[in-house]
Coordinates of all heavy atoms in Angstrom, one line a residue:
V1 N 0.8 -1.2 0.0 CA 0.0 0.0 0.0 C 0.9 1.2 0.0 O 0.6 2.2 -0.7 CB -0.9 0.0 1.2 CG1 -1.7 1.3 1.3 CG2 -1.9 -1.2 1.2
A2 N 1.8 1.3 0.9 CA 2.7 2.4 0.9 C 3.5 2.7 -0.3 O 3.7 3.8 -0.8 CB 3.8 2.2 2.1
Q3 N 3.9 1.6 -0.9 CA 4.7 1.8 -2.3 C 3.7 2.3 -3.3 O 4.2 3.1 -4.1 CB 5.3 0.4 -2.6 CG 6.1 0.5 -3.9 CD 6.8 -0.9 -4.3 OE1 6.3 -1.8 -3.7 NE2 7.7 -0.8 -5.2
G4 N 2.5 1.9 -3.3 CA 1.5 2.4 -4.3 C 1.3 3.8 -4.1 O 1.1 4.7 -5.1
L5 N 1.1 4.3 -2.8 CA 0.9 5.7 -2.5 C 2.1 6.5 -2.9 O 1.9 7.5 -3.5 CB 0.6 5.8 -1.0 CG 0.3 7.2 -0.5 CD1 -0.8 7.8 -1.3 CD2 0.1 7.2 1.0
A6 N 3.2 6.0 -2.6 CA 4.4 6.7 -3.0 C 4.6 6.9 -4.5 O 4.9 8.0 -5.0 CB 5.7 6.0 -2.5
L7 N 4.2 5.8 -5.3 CA 4.2 6.0 -6.8 C 3.1 7.0 -7.2 O 3.4 7.8 -8.2 CB 3.9 4.7 -7.4 CG 5.1 3.7 -7.3 CD1 4.6 2.2 -7.8 CD2 6.3 4.1 -8.1
L8 N 2.0 7.0 -6.6 CA 1.0 8.0 -7.0 C 1.4 9.4 -6.7 O 1.3 10.3 -7.5 CB -0.3 7.6 -6.1 CG -1.5 8.5 -6.4 CD1 -2.0 8.3 -8.0 CD2 -2.7 8.1 -5.6
L9 N 2.0 9.6 -5.5 CA 2.5 11.0 -5.1 C 3.6 11.4 -6.0 O 3.6 12.7 -6.5 CB 2.9 11.0 -3.7 CG 1.9 10.7 -2.6 CD1 2.5 10.6 -1.3 CD2 0.8 11.8 -2.6
D10 N 4.5 10.5 -6.4 CA 5.7 10.8 -7.3 C 5.1 11.2 -8.7 O 5.5 12.1 -9.3 CB 6.5 9.7 -7.3 CG 7.8 10.0 -8.1 OD1 8.4 11.0 -7.8 OD2 8.1 9.2 -9.1
S11 N 4.1 10.4 -9.2 CA 3.6 10.7 -10.5 C 2.8 12.0 -10.6 O 2.8 12.7 -11.5 CB 2.7 9.6 -11.0 OG 1.5 9.5 -10.3
A12 N 2.1 12.4 -9.4 CA 1.4 13.7 -9.3 C 2.4 14.9 -9.3 O 2.3 15.8 -10.0 CB 0.6 13.7 -8.0
Q13 N 3.6 14.6 -8.7 CA 4.6 15.7 -8.6 C 5.2 15.9 -10.0 O 5.4 17.0 -10.6 CB 5.7 15.4 -7.6 CG 6.7 16.6 -7.5 CD 7.7 16.3 -6.4 OE1 7.5 15.5 -5.5 NE2 8.8 17.1 -6.4
R14 N 5.4 14.7 -10.7 CA 6.0 14.8 -12.2 C 5.0 15.4 -13.0 O 5.4 16.3 -13.8 CB 6.4 13.4 -12.6 CG 7.7 12.9 -12.0 CD 8.2 11.7 -12.6 NE 7.6 10.6 -11.8 CZ 6.9 9.6 -12.4 NH1 6.8 9.5 -13.7 NH2 6.3 8.6 -11.6
A15 N 3.7 15.2 -12.8 CA 2.7 15.9 -13.6 C 2.7 17.3 -13.4 O 2.6 18.1 -14.4 CB 1.3 15.3 -13.3
A16 N 2.9 17.7 -12.2 CA 2.9 19.2 -11.8 C 4.1 19.9 -12.3 O 4.0 21.0 -12.9 CB 2.9 19.4 -10.3
E17 N 5.3 19.2 -12.4 CA 6.5 19.7 -13.0 C 6.3 19.8 -14.5 O 6.7 20.8 -15.1 CB 7.6 18.8 -12.7 CG 8.1 18.9 -11.2 CD 9.0 17.8 -10.7 OE1 9.3 16.8 -11.5 OE2 9.6 17.8 -9.6
A18 N 5.7 18.8 -15.2 CA 5.4 18.9 -16.5 C 4.5 20.0 -16.9 O 4.7 20.8 -17.9 CB 4.9 17.6 -17.1
A19 N 3.4 20.3 -16.0 CA 2.5 21.3 -16.3 C 3.1 22.7 -16.2 O 3.0 23.6 -16.9 CB 1.3 21.2 -15.3
A20 N 4.0 22.8 -15.2 CA 4.8 24.1 -15.0 C 5.7 24.4 -16.2 O 5.8 25.5 -16.7 CB 5.7 24.0 -13.7
A21 N 6.4 23.3 -16.7 CA 7.2 23.5 -17.9 C 6.4 23.9 -19.1 O 6.7 24.8 -19.8 CB 7.9 22.2 -18.2
K22 N 5.2 23.3 -19.2 CA 4.3 23.7 -20.3 C 3.8 25.1 -20.2 O 3.7 25.8 -21.2 CB 3.1 22.7 -20.3 CG 2.3 22.8 -21.5 CD 1.2 21.6 -21.5 CE 0.4 21.6 -22.7 NZ -0.6 20.5 -22.8
L23 N 3.5 25.6 -19.0 CA 3.1 27.0 -18.8 C 4.2 27.9 -19.1 O 4.0 28.9 -19.7 CB 2.6 27.1 -17.4 CG 1.3 26.5 -17.0 CD1 1.0 26.5 -15.5 CD2 0.1 27.3 -17.6
R24 N 5.4 27.5 -18.7 CA 6.5 28.5 -19.0 C 6.8 28.5 -20.6 O 7.1 29.6 -21.0 CB 7.8 28.0 -18.2 CG 7.7 28.3 -16.7 CD 9.0 28.1 -16.2 NE 9.1 28.7 -14.9 CZ 9.9 28.5 -13.9 NH1 10.9 27.7 -14.1 NH2 9.9 29.2 -12.8
E25 N 6.7 27.4 -21.2 CA 6.8 27.4 -22.6 C 5.8 28.2 -23.3 O 6.0 28.9 -24.4 CB 6.7 26.0 -23.2 CG 8.0 25.1 -23.0 CD 7.8 23.7 -23.2 OE1 6.7 23.3 -23.9 OE2 8.6 22.9 -22.9
G26 N 4.6 28.2 -22.7 CA 3.4 29.1 -23.1 C 3.5 30.6 -22.9 O 2.7 31.4 -23.2
G27 N 4.6 30.9 -22.2 CA 4.9 32.4 -21.9 C 4.6 32.9 -20.4 O 4.7 34.1 -20.1
V28 N 4.2 32.0 -19.6 CA 3.9 32.4 -18.2 C 5.2 32.4 -17.5 O 6.0 31.5 -17.3 CB 3.0 31.3 -17.5 CG1 2.8 31.7 -16.0 CG2 1.7 31.2 -18.2
E29 N 5.6 33.6 -17.1 CA 6.9 33.8 -16.4 C 7.0 33.3 -15.0 O 7.9 32.6 -14.5 CB 7.3 35.2 -16.4 CG 7.7 35.7 -17.9 CD 8.1 37.1 -17.9 OE1 8.6 37.6 -16.9 OE2 8.0 37.8 -19.0
E30 N 6.0 33.6 -14.3 CA 5.8 33.2 -12.7 C 4.7 32.2 -12.7 O 3.6 32.7 -12.7 CB 5.6 34.5 -11.9 CG 5.5 34.2 -10.4 CD 6.8 34.7 -9.7 OE1 7.6 35.3 -10.3 OE2 7.0 34.2 -8.6
V31 N 5.1 31.0 -12.5 CA 4.0 29.9 -12.4 C 3.5 29.8 -10.9 O 4.2 29.6 -10.0 CB 4.5 28.6 -12.8 CG1 3.5 27.6 -12.6 CG2 5.1 28.7 -14.2
A32 N 2.2 30.1 -10.8 CA 1.6 30.2 -9.4 C 0.9 28.9 -9.1 O 0.7 28.1 -10.1 CB 0.5 31.2 -9.4
E33 N 0.8 28.6 -7.8 CA 0.1 27.3 -7.5 C -1.2 27.1 -8.1 O -1.7 26.0 -8.6 CB 0.0 27.3 -5.9 CG -0.6 26.1 -5.5 CD -0.7 26.0 -3.9 OE1 0.0 26.7 -3.2 OE2 -1.6 25.3 -3.3
E34 N -2.0 28.2 -8.2 CA -3.3 28.1 -8.8 C -3.3 27.7 -10.3 O -4.1 27.0 -10.8 CB -4.2 29.4 -8.7 CG -4.6 29.5 -7.2 CD -5.5 28.4 -6.7 OE1 -6.4 27.9 -7.5 OE2 -5.3 27.9 -5.6
H35 N -2.2 28.3 -11.0 CA -2.0 27.9 -12.4 C -1.9 26.3 -12.5 O -2.6 25.6 -13.3 CB -0.7 28.4 -13.0 CG -0.8 29.9 -13.2 ND1 0.2 30.8 -12.8 CD2 -1.7 30.7 -13.9 CE1 -0.1 32.0 -13.1 NE2 -1.2 32.0 -13.7
L36 N -1.0 25.7 -11.6 CA -0.8 24.4 -11.6 C -2.0 23.5 -11.2 O -2.3 22.5 -11.8 CB 0.4 24.0 -10.7 CG 1.7 24.6 -11.1 CD1 2.8 24.3 -10.0 CD2 2.2 24.1 -12.5
V37 N -2.8 23.9 -10.2 CA -3.9 23.2 -9.8 C -4.9 23.1 -11.0 O -5.5 22.0 -11.2 CB -4.6 24.0 -8.6 CG1 -5.9 23.3 -8.3 CG2 -3.7 23.8 -7.4
Q38 N -5.1 24.3 -11.7 CA -6.1 24.2 -12.8 C -5.7 23.2 -13.9 O -6.4 22.5 -14.5 CB -6.3 25.6 -13.4 CG -7.0 26.6 -12.6 CD -8.4 26.0 -12.2 OE1 -9.1 25.5 -13.0 NE2 -8.7 26.0 -10.9
Q39 N -4.3 23.2 -14.2 CA -3.8 22.3 -15.1 C -4.0 20.8 -14.7 O -4.2 20.0 -15.5 CB -2.2 22.6 -15.5 CG -2.0 23.9 -16.1 CD -2.6 23.9 -17.5 OE1 -2.3 23.0 -18.3 NE2 -3.2 25.0 -17.9
L40 N -3.7 20.5 -13.5 CA -3.7 19.1 -12.9 C -5.1 18.7 -12.8 O -5.3 17.5 -12.9 CB -3.0 19.1 -11.6 CG -1.5 19.4 -11.6 CD1 -0.9 19.5 -10.2 CD2 -0.8 18.3 -12.5
L41 N -6.1 19.5 -12.6 CA -7.4 19.0 -12.4 C -8.1 18.7 -13.8 O -9.0 17.9 -13.9 CB -8.4 20.1 -11.7 CG -8.1 20.4 -10.3 CD1 -8.8 21.6 -9.7 CD2 -8.4 19.1 -9.5
S42 N -7.6 19.3 -14.9 CA -8.2 19.1 -16.1 C -7.5 18.0 -16.8 O -6.3 17.8 -16.7 CB -8.1 20.4 -17.1 OG -6.8 20.7 -17.2
A43 N -8.3 17.2 -17.6 CA -7.8 16.1 -18.4 C -7.0 16.7 -19.5 O -7.4 17.5 -20.2 CB -9.0 15.3 -19.0
Q44 N -5.7 16.0 -19.7 CA -4.9 16.4 -20.7 C -4.1 15.3 -21.3 O -3.9 14.3 -20.6 CB -3.8 17.4 -20.2 CG -4.4 18.7 -19.7 CD -3.3 19.7 -19.1 OE1 -2.2 19.3 -19.3 NE2 -3.7 20.7 -18.4
D45 N -3.9 15.3 -22.6 CA -3.0 14.2 -23.3 C -3.6 12.9 -23.1 O -2.8 11.9 -22.9 CB -1.6 14.3 -22.8 CG -0.9 15.7 -23.1 OD1 -1.3 16.3 -24.1 OD2 -0.2 16.2 -22.3
G46 N -5.0 12.8 -23.0 CA -5.5 11.4 -22.9 C -5.5 10.9 -21.5 O -6.0 9.8 -21.1
H47 N -5.1 11.8 -20.4 CA -5.1 11.3 -19.0 C -6.2 12.1 -18.3 O -6.4 13.2 -18.6 CB -3.7 11.6 -18.4 CG -2.6 10.7 -18.9 ND1 -1.8 11.3 -20.0 CD2 -2.2 9.6 -18.6 CE1 -0.9 10.4 -20.2 NE2 -1.0 9.3 -19.5
E48 N -6.8 11.5 -17.3 CA -7.7 12.1 -16.5 C -7.0 13.1 -15.6 O -5.8 12.9 -15.3 CB -8.4 11.1 -15.5 CG -9.5 10.1 -16.1 CD -10.2 9.3 -15.1 OE1 -10.3 9.8 -14.0 OE2 -10.5 8.3 -15.4
G49 N -7.8 14.1 -15.2 CA -7.2 15.0 -14.2 C -7.0 14.4 -12.8 O -7.6 13.4 -12.6
L50 N -6.2 15.0 -12.0 CA -5.9 14.4 -10.7 C -7.0 14.7 -9.8 O -7.7 15.8 -10.0 CB -4.6 15.0 -10.1 CG -3.3 14.7 -10.9 CD1 -2.1 15.4 -10.3 CD2 -3.1 13.1 -10.8
P51 N -7.2 13.9 -8.8 CA -8.3 14.3 -7.7 C -7.9 15.6 -7.1 O -6.7 15.9 -6.9 CB -8.2 13.1 -6.8 CG -7.6 12.0 -7.4 CD -6.6 12.7 -8.5
P52 N -8.8 16.4 -6.7 CA -8.5 17.8 -6.1 C -7.4 17.8 -5.0 O -6.5 18.6 -5.0 CB -9.7 18.3 -5.7 CG -10.8 17.6 -6.5 CD -10.2 16.3 -6.8
P53 N -7.5 16.9 -4.0 CA -6.4 16.9 -2.9 C -5.0 16.6 -3.4 O -4.1 17.2 -3.1 CB -6.8 15.9 -1.9 CG -8.3 15.7 -2.2 CD -8.5 15.9 -3.6
L54 N -5.0 15.7 -4.4 CA -3.7 15.3 -4.9 C -3.2 16.4 -5.8 O -2.0 16.8 -5.8 CB -3.9 14.0 -5.7 CG -2.6 13.3 -6.1 CD1 -1.7 13.0 -4.9 CD2 -2.9 12.0 -6.8
A55 N -4.0 17.0 -6.6 CA -3.6 18.2 -7.4 C -3.2 19.3 -6.7 O -2.1 20.0 -6.9 CB -4.8 18.6 -8.4
R56 N -3.9 19.7 -5.6 CA -3.5 20.8 -4.7 C -2.1 20.5 -4.0 O -1.2 21.4 -4.0 CB -4.6 21.1 -3.7 CG -4.2 22.0 -2.7 CD -4.8 23.4 -2.6 NE -5.9 23.8 -3.4 CZ -5.9 24.9 -4.1 NH1 -4.8 25.7 -4.2 NH2 -7.0 25.2 -4.9
G57 N -1.9 19.3 -3.5 CA -0.6 19.0 -2.9 C 0.6 19.0 -3.9 O 1.6 19.7 -3.6
A58 N 0.4 18.5 -5.0 CA 1.5 18.5 -6.0 C 1.7 19.8 -6.4 O 2.9 20.4 -6.6 CB 1.1 17.7 -7.2
A59 N 0.7 20.6 -6.7 CA 0.8 22.1 -7.1 C 1.6 22.9 -6.1 O 2.4 23.7 -6.4 CB -0.5 22.7 -7.5
C60 N 1.2 22.7 -4.8 CA 1.9 23.4 -3.7 C 3.4 23.1 -3.6 O 4.2 24.0 -3.5 CB 1.3 23.1 -2.4 SG 2.0 23.9 -0.9
I61 N 3.7 21.9 -3.7 CA 5.1 21.4 -3.8 C 5.9 22.0 -4.9 O 7.0 22.7 -4.7 CB 5.3 19.9 -3.7 CG1 4.7 19.3 -2.4 CG2 6.7 19.5 -3.9 CD1 4.5 17.9 -2.4
V62 N 5.4 21.8 -6.1 CA 6.2 22.3 -7.2 C 6.1 23.9 -7.3 O 7.2 24.4 -7.6 CB 5.5 21.7 -8.6 CG1 6.2 22.3 -9.8 CG2 5.7 20.2 -8.5
A63 N 5.1 24.6 -7.0 CA 5.1 26.0 -7.0 C 6.1 26.5 -6.0 O 6.7 27.5 -6.2 CB 3.7 26.6 -6.7
G64 N 6.2 25.8 -4.8 CA 7.1 26.3 -3.7 C 8.5 26.1 -4.2 O 9.4 27.0 -3.9
C65 N 8.8 25.0 -5.0 CA 10.2 24.7 -5.5 C 10.5 25.9 -6.6 O 11.7 26.1 -6.6 CB 10.3 23.3 -6.1 SG 10.2 22.0 -4.8
L66 N 9.5 26.2 -7.4 CA 9.8 27.3 -8.3 C 9.9 28.7 -7.8 O 10.4 29.5 -8.5 CB 8.7 27.2 -9.4 CG 8.6 25.9 -10.1 CD1 7.4 25.9 -11.1 CD2 9.8 25.6 -11.0
S67 N 9.4 28.8 -6.5 CA 9.3 30.2 -6.0 C 10.7 30.7 -5.7 O 11.6 29.9 -5.4 CB 8.5 30.1 -4.7 OG 8.6 31.3 -4.1
K68 N 10.8 32.0 -5.6 CA 12.2 32.6 -5.3 C 12.3 32.6 -3.7 O 13.3 33.1 -3.2 CB 12.2 34.0 -5.9 CG 12.3 33.9 -7.4 CD 12.3 35.3 -8.1 CE 12.4 35.3 -9.5 NZ 11.4 34.6 -10.2
T69 N 11.2 32.3 -3.0 CA 11.2 32.4 -1.6 C 11.6 31.1 -1.0 O 10.9 30.1 -1.2 CB 9.8 32.8 -1.1 OG1 9.4 34.0 -1.7 CG2 9.8 33.0 0.4
P70 N 12.7 31.0 -0.2 CA 13.0 29.8 0.4 C 12.0 29.2 1.4 O 11.3 30.1 2.0 CB 14.4 30.1 1.3 CG 14.7 31.5 0.9 CD 13.6 32.1 0.2
N71 N 11.8 28.0 1.4 CA 10.9 27.3 2.3 C 9.4 27.5 1.8 O 8.5 27.2 2.6 CB 11.0 27.7 3.8 CG 12.4 27.2 4.3 OD1 12.9 26.2 3.9 ND2 12.9 28.1 5.1
A72 N 9.2 28.1 0.7 CA 7.8 28.3 0.3 C 7.1 27.0 0.0 O 5.9 26.9 0.3 CB 7.8 29.2 -1.0
A73 N 7.8 25.9 -0.3 CA 7.1 24.7 -0.6 C 6.6 24.1 0.6 O 5.7 23.3 0.6 CB 8.1 23.7 -1.2
A74 N 7.2 24.4 1.8 CA 6.8 24.0 3.1 C 5.7 24.8 3.7 O 5.1 24.5 4.7 CB 8.0 23.8 4.1
G75 N 5.4 25.9 3.1 CA 4.3 26.7 3.5 C 4.8 27.6 4.7 O 3.9 28.3 5.3
Y76 N 6.0 27.7 5.0 CA 6.6 28.6 6.1 C 6.3 30.0 5.9 O 6.1 30.8 6.8 CB 8.1 28.3 6.3 CG 8.3 26.9 6.8 CD1 9.3 26.2 6.1 CD2 7.7 26.4 7.9 CE1 9.6 24.9 6.6 CE2 8.0 25.2 8.3 CZ 8.9 24.4 7.6 OH 9.2 23.1 8.1
D77 N 6.3 30.5 4.7 CA 6.2 31.9 4.4 C 4.8 32.3 4.0 O 4.5 33.4 3.7 CB 7.2 32.4 3.3 CG 8.6 32.2 3.7 OD1 8.9 32.4 4.9 OD2 9.5 31.9 2.8
A78 N 3.9 31.5 4.1 CA 2.5 31.8 3.8 C 1.9 32.5 4.8 O 2.0 32.1 6.0 CB 1.7 30.5 3.5
P79 N 1.3 33.6 4.5 CA 0.6 34.4 5.5 C -0.7 33.6 6.0 O -1.3 33.0 5.3 CB 0.1 35.7 4.8 CG 0.1 35.3 3.4 CD 1.1 34.2 3.3
P80 N -1.0 33.8 7.3 CA -2.2 33.1 7.8 C -3.4 33.6 7.1 O -3.6 34.8 6.8 CB -2.2 33.4 9.3 CG -1.3 34.6 9.5 CD -0.4 34.6 8.3
T81 N -4.3 32.7 6.8 CA -5.6 33.2 6.1 C -6.7 33.3 7.3 O -7.1 32.3 7.9 CB -6.1 32.0 5.2 OG1 -5.0 31.8 4.3 CG2 -7.3 32.4 4.4
P82 N -7.1 34.5 7.4 CA -8.1 34.6 8.5 C -9.6 34.2 8.1 O -9.8 34.3 7.0 CB -8.2 36.2 8.8 CG -7.6 36.8 7.5 CD -6.7 35.8 6.9
S83 N -10.2 33.6 9.0 CA -11.5 33.1 8.7 C -12.5 34.3 8.7 O -12.4 35.2 9.5 CB -11.9 32.2 9.8 OG -13.4 31.8 9.7
P84 N -13.5 34.3 7.8 CA -14.5 35.4 7.9 C -15.3 35.4 9.2 O -15.7 36.4 9.6 CB -15.4 35.0 6.7 CG -14.7 34.1 5.8 CD -13.8 33.4 6.6
A85 N -15.4 34.2 9.8 CA -16.1 34.2 11.2 C -15.3 35.0 12.2 O -15.8 35.4 13.2 CB -16.3 32.8 11.6
D86 N -13.9 35.1 11.9 CA -13.1 35.8 13.0 C -13.1 37.2 12.8 O -12.4 37.9 13.7 CB -11.7 35.2 12.9 CG -11.6 33.7 13.3 OD1 -12.4 33.3 14.1 OD2 -10.7 33.1 12.9
A87 N -13.7 37.8 11.8 CA -13.6 39.3 11.5 C -14.2 40.0 12.8 O -15.3 39.7 13.2 CB -14.3 39.7 10.2
G88 N -13.5 41.0 13.2 CA -14.0 41.8 14.3 C -13.9 41.1 15.7 O -14.3 41.8 16.7
R89 N -13.4 40.0 15.8 CA -13.4 39.3 17.1 C -11.9 39.5 17.7 O -11.0 39.6 17.0 CB -13.7 37.8 17.0 CG -15.1 37.5 16.7 CD -15.6 36.1 16.6 NE -14.7 35.1 17.3 CZ -14.8 33.8 17.1 NH1 -15.6 33.4 16.2 NH2 -14.0 33.1 17.8
P90 N -11.9 39.6 19.0 CA -10.5 39.8 19.6 C -9.7 38.5 19.4 O -10.2 37.4 19.1 CB -10.9 40.0 21.1 CG -12.2 39.4 21.3 CD -12.9 39.6 20.0
G91 N -8.4 38.6 19.6 CA -7.5 37.4 19.4 C -7.8 36.3 20.4 O -8.4 36.6 21.5
V92 N -7.6 35.1 20.1 CA -7.9 33.9 20.9 C -6.7 33.6 21.6 O -5.6 33.4 21.1 CB -8.3 32.8 20.0 CG1 -8.6 31.6 20.9 CG2 -9.5 33.1 19.2
A93 N -6.8 33.4 23.0 CA -5.7 33.0 23.8 C -5.4 31.6 23.6 O -6.2 30.8 23.4 CB -6.0 33.2 25.3
P94 N -4.0 31.3 23.5 CA -3.7 29.8 23.3 C -4.0 28.9 24.4 O -4.0 29.4 25.6 CB -2.2 29.8 23.0 CG -1.8 31.2 23.7 CD -3.0 32.1 23.6
I95 N -4.3 27.7 24.2 CA -4.6 26.8 25.2 C -3.4 26.5 26.0 O -3.4 26.5 27.3 CB -5.2 25.5 24.6 CG1 -6.6 25.7 24.1 CG2 -5.4 24.3 25.7 CD1 -7.1 24.5 23.2
W96 N -2.2 26.3 25.3 CA -1.0 26.0 26.0 C -0.1 27.2 25.9 O 0.1 27.8 24.8 CB -0.3 24.9 25.4 CG -1.1 23.5 25.3 CD1 -1.7 23.0 24.1 CD2 -1.4 22.7 26.3 NE1 -2.4 21.9 24.4 CE2 -2.3 21.7 25.8 CE3 -1.3 22.8 27.6 CZ2 -2.9 20.7 26.5 CZ3 -1.8 21.8 28.5 CH2 -2.5 20.7 27.9
P97 N 0.6 27.6 27.0 CA 1.4 28.8 26.9 C 2.7 28.5 26.1 O 3.3 27.4 26.1 CB 1.7 29.1 28.4 CG 1.5 27.8 29.1 CD 0.4 27.1 28.3
S98 N 3.1 29.5 25.3 CA 4.3 29.3 24.6 C 5.5 29.5 25.5 O 5.4 30.1 26.6 CB 4.4 30.3 23.4 OG 4.6 31.6 24.0
P99 N 6.6 28.9 25.1 CA 7.9 29.0 25.9 C 8.2 30.5 26.2 O 8.6 31.0 27.2 CB 9.0 28.4 25.2 CG 8.2 27.4 24.3 CD 7.0 28.0 24.1
R100 N 8.0 31.3 25.2 CA 8.3 32.8 25.3 C 7.3 33.5 26.2 O 7.7 34.3 27.0 CB 8.1 33.5 23.9 CG 8.5 35.0 24.0 CD 8.3 35.6 22.7 NE 9.2 35.0 21.7 CZ 9.1 35.3 20.4 NH1 8.2 36.1 19.9 NH2 9.8 34.6 19.5
G101 N 6.0 33.0 26.2 CA 5.0 33.6 27.0 C 5.3 33.3 28.6 O 5.1 34.0 29.4
A102 N 5.7 32.0 28.7 CA 6.0 31.6 30.1 C 7.3 32.3 30.7 O 7.3 32.7 31.8 CB 6.3 30.1 30.1
A103 N 8.2 32.7 29.8 CA 9.4 33.3 30.3 C 9.0 34.8 30.7 O 9.4 35.3 31.6 CB 10.5 33.4 29.3
T104 N 8.1 35.4 29.7 CA 7.7 36.7 30.1 C 6.8 36.8 31.3 O 7.1 37.7 32.1 CB 6.8 37.3 28.9 OG1 7.6 37.2 27.7 CG2 6.4 38.7 29.0
A105 N 6.0 35.8 31.6 CA 5.2 35.8 32.8 C 6.1 35.6 34.0 O 5.8 36.3 35.0 CB 4.2 34.7 32.7
A106 N 7.1 34.9 33.9 CA 8.0 34.6 35.0 C 8.8 35.8 35.4 O 9.0 36.2 36.6 CB 8.9 33.5 34.8
A107 N 9.2 36.6 34.3 CA 10.0 37.7 34.5 C 9.1 38.9 35.2 O 9.6 39.7 35.9 CB 10.5 38.2 33.2
A108 N 7.8 38.9 34.9 CA 6.9 39.9 35.4 C 6.7 39.8 36.8 O 6.3 40.7 37.5 CB 5.6 39.9 34.6
K109 N 6.9 38.6 37.4 CA 6.6 38.3 38.8 C 7.7 38.8 39.7 O 8.3 39.3 40.1 CB 6.5 36.7 39.1 CG 5.2 36.3 38.5 CD 5.0 34.8 38.8 CE 3.7 34.2 38.2 NZ 3.5 32.8 38.5

């Protein structure tokens, strides 16, 4: 099962890399994740499109590798996406204190 999954993930990444190359050949200078997702979801060259979660994951990895920002593939530089439900609400206190917060609280005593 694990080997089959690894092959599927590898083929999805290769498909995303091929889609990125095709987009660049077509004149797209900066290939974005959404460009790749759209390419991977649509059927091309006699192949079915990838399932949405697989297309999104492969596009994220390849777009991050093509990015000029280090660690973009891992999502480290992605800004947090606020939920519409959170608009206008005060910040939420964490359940577990962070090490920095604990040190600040200890210093204040």
Side-chain angles (χ1 to χ4, degrees):
V1 173
Q3 185 179 11
L5 181 59
L7 288 172
L8 183 63
L9 296 173
D10 186 52
S11 67
Q13 184 173 348
R14 280 186 277 128
E17 289 166 350
K22 191 173 182 179
L23 286 167
R24 284 192 165 164
E25 288 171 6
V28 178
E29 290 183 25
E30 182 104 12
V31 177
E33 182 177 336
E34 285 304 315
H35 292 128
L36 295 174
V37 170
Q38 291 304 314
Q39 293 293 314
L40 294 171
L41 289 174
S42 63
Q44 296 178 14
D45 302 326
H47 295 93
E48 283 186 33
L50 294 176
L54 194 55
R56 173 110 7 231
C60 179
I61 291 168
V62 172
C65 291
L66 296 174
S67 173
K68 294 175 179 65
T69 306
N71 296 323
Y76 293 125
D77 294 329
T81 306
S83 165
D86 293 337
R89 290 181 27 193
V92 177
I95 294 173
W96 304 109
S98 68
R100 183 183 304 170
T104 304
K109 288 182 179 180

